[in-house]
Amino acid sequence: MADVVLTVGDVPGYVAGRPTLRGLVDADTLTVTEVGDGNLNLVFICVDAAGRRVVLKQALPYVRLVGPEWPMTELRAAREASALTVHGALSEHVCRLLDFDEEHNVLVLEDLSDHEVFRSRLNAGGAHDGIVERLSEYVADVAFGTSFLGLTEEEFRLRAAAAANPELCAISEALVFTEPFLGAERNSVRPSVAPLLAGLQADAAWVAAALDMKRAFLTRQEMLVHGDLHTGSVFVRGSGDGVSVKAFDSEFACYAPIGFDLGMLWANLVFAGMRAAVLGDDARADALFGSVETSWRVFAARFTAHWPERRDPAGYPDVFLDGWLTGILRDCFGFAGCEAARRTVGLAKVSDVETLDDAPYTAAASAMLRLSRTLLVGRAALGAEDVAGLCRKALGAAG
C-alpha cells in the first residue's frame, strides 16, 4: 500500500522528487487542480508557467464512490499502466502513459484538457460523427493484436494469465451481471419505473440470459479488453475527419470476450439516443441509434483487414472467421443488454437519463429496460441493422 495519498499541496513536491516528472513540467511554477470526479481515483491536472501539462492519477486503497468501507486493491494502477502500454502500442486512440510510479500507485498521463468527455458532449447535444468509427477501429486493433491470432498461442496464454484482475472483475460481475437482475440494496430506480423492473426481475428468461453473459465474462478469454468502455471513459476533440478520440480509465482491463467492450459502448450510445428521443430531437436520436450498426460495420471490416496478419494461417483457415464474427456480434448484444440494465438500475448510473425530469426519465429508463430484455433474450436472432428499430419499439412500448 502506498504510504502517501497525494493532495493538491503535495503534488509540486512529489513532482520535484521524481526525475522523470521534472523533465516534463517545472515543479517550481506548477499549478495543480484536483479534478477526480470518477468512482475510484484521485486525478490532478498539473500546469507549469510555460504551459506544459501532465495529469497524475493515483489509485486509492478504496472505492472513492463509496468510501473506505469498500476497500479496493491499489494494484489496479499497475494493471491500468500495463493495459495502456499494450493498447497504446496497437492503437492511437488511447490516452498516452508517460510514467508509472509503482511504489505510490501513480500514473502520469498526457493532458487532454483540450478534449471533452464524450458523454458530456452527447448530453449537451454535441457532434458525434467520426467518433464511433474511431472507437470501433480501436477495439478491432486491440482485439486482433492481443488475441491468439495476433500473438502466438503460448504468448496469448501467458498474457491472459498476467492480466488477471480479480478485484476489479468482481465489481463488474456484481454490478453489471448480477445485482440488476437478482436484486440488491445498491439498486434504485424512480417509483415510476419500479413495477417494470420488478416484472423483469421475475422474468426467468431475462435473468438466465444475463447470467449466461456473466458466465461468458468469467470463463472466456479472447482479448485484453478495456473493461469499462463507455462514453464517460472517452475524451474527444473535434468531429468528422479531424476528430481526436482517446480512451482512458482502463483499470478494469482483463482478458474477456471481444464483444464486451463493444457491447458496453453500444449501450451507452443508445442511452444518449434515448435522451435525445425523449427530449424531442428525433433526428439526433435516430443517428445515435444507427451508430450501433455503423460501429459493427467498421469493427468487422477492420478486424477482417487484420485477418491476413494472423500468426497461424494454416491453423485458422478463412472458414473460421465468419463464424467467429457471428459469435462476437451475438456477444455484443448480450453485453449491451446487461449494460442497458445496469446503468439504469445499478450503483453507477448515467447522467444521460438521471438528469432528466420525471416524465422523460420514465420514458427513457423504461425503454432501456425493455431494450435490455430484447438484446439479451433475442440476441441470437438479431443483426446490427435491427438495433435502431428495436430502440424505437422500446420507446413506443414505454410510452
Side-chain angles (χ1 to χ4, degrees), residues 176-177 181 205-215 338 376 379:
V176 178
F177 299 109
F181 306 95
W206 186 61
V207 173
L211 293 178
D212 195 42
M213 299 315 301
K214 179 178 181 179
R215 176 182 59 82
C338 291
L376 277 164
R379 64 187 184 275

Side-chain angles (χ1 to χ4, degrees), residues 54-256:
V54 295
V55 172
L56 271 59
K57 176 178 178 179
Q58 184 178 36
L60 296 171
Y62 53 83
V63 176
R64 179 176 179 165
L65 177 66
V66 177
E69 60 268 31
W70 188 348
M72 180 51 56
T73 177
E74 295 159 291
L75 291 175
R76 66 184 188 271
R79 295 164 186 161
E80 180 176 5
S82 176
L84 286 171
T85 300
V86 172
H87 285 198
L90 294 167
S91 173
E92 65 181 299
H93 304 304
V94 182
C95 181
R96 190 158 49 98
L97 179 69
L98 304 175
D99 186 37
F100 176 55
D101 176 0
E102 187 171 11
E103 179 183 359
H104 297 98
N105 305 302
V106 176
L107 296 94
V108 182
L109 305 165
E110 68 172 317
D111 176 70
L112 295 170
S113 296
D114 60 342
H115 290 56
E116 60 187 318
V117 175
F118 190 23
R119 190 184 307 281
S120 299
R121 176 189 281 201
L122 290 172
N123 283 350
H128 55 86
D129 55 308
I131 297 170
V132 173
E133 292 87 338
R134 302 295 81 74
L135 287 171
S136 303
E137 291 171 352
Y138 156 60
V139 175
D141 291 345
V142 172
F144 186 88
T146 63
S147 75
F148 54 84
L149 299 173
L151 305 170
T152 65
E153 291 172 349
E154 180 181 6
E155 185 178 3
F156 167 78
R157 288 190 176 277
L158 291 171
R159 287 206 192 185
N165 196 357
E167 299 88 353
L168 276 295
C169 285
I171 294 177
S172 296
E173 287 147 17
L175 298 187
V176 178
F177 299 109
T178 306
E179 294 183 2
F181 306 95
L182 300 182
E185 291 184 2
R186 293 186 293 212
N187 290 347
S188 64
V189 291
R190 297 185 202 176
S192 58
V193 178
L196 174 60
L197 174 59
L200 284 170
Q201 289 175 334
D203 182 341
W206 186 61
V207 173
L211 293 178
D212 195 42
M213 299 315 301
K214 179 178 181 179
R215 176 182 59 82
F217 181 77
L218 275 162
T219 62
R220 192 139 45 82
Q221 299 176 326
E222 292 182 332
M223 68 168 285
L224 180 63
V225 298
H226 176 285
D228 196 26
L229 188 63
H230 55 80
T231 55
S233 60
V234 177
F235 278 121
V236 298
R237 185 189 63 208
S239 61
D241 292 340
V243 72
S244 173
V245 178
K246 299 281 188 176
F248 67 99
D249 275 358
S250 54
E251 59 210 331
F252 282 80
C254 64
Y255 265 76

Side-chain angles (χ1 to χ4, degrees), residues 246-269:
K246 299 281 188 176
F248 67 99
D249 275 358
S250 54
E251 59 210 331
F252 282 80
C254 64
Y255 265 76
I258 290 173
F260 184 76
D261 278 347
L262 281 179
M264 298 291 105
L265 176 63
W266 290 1
N268 282 271
L269 292 169

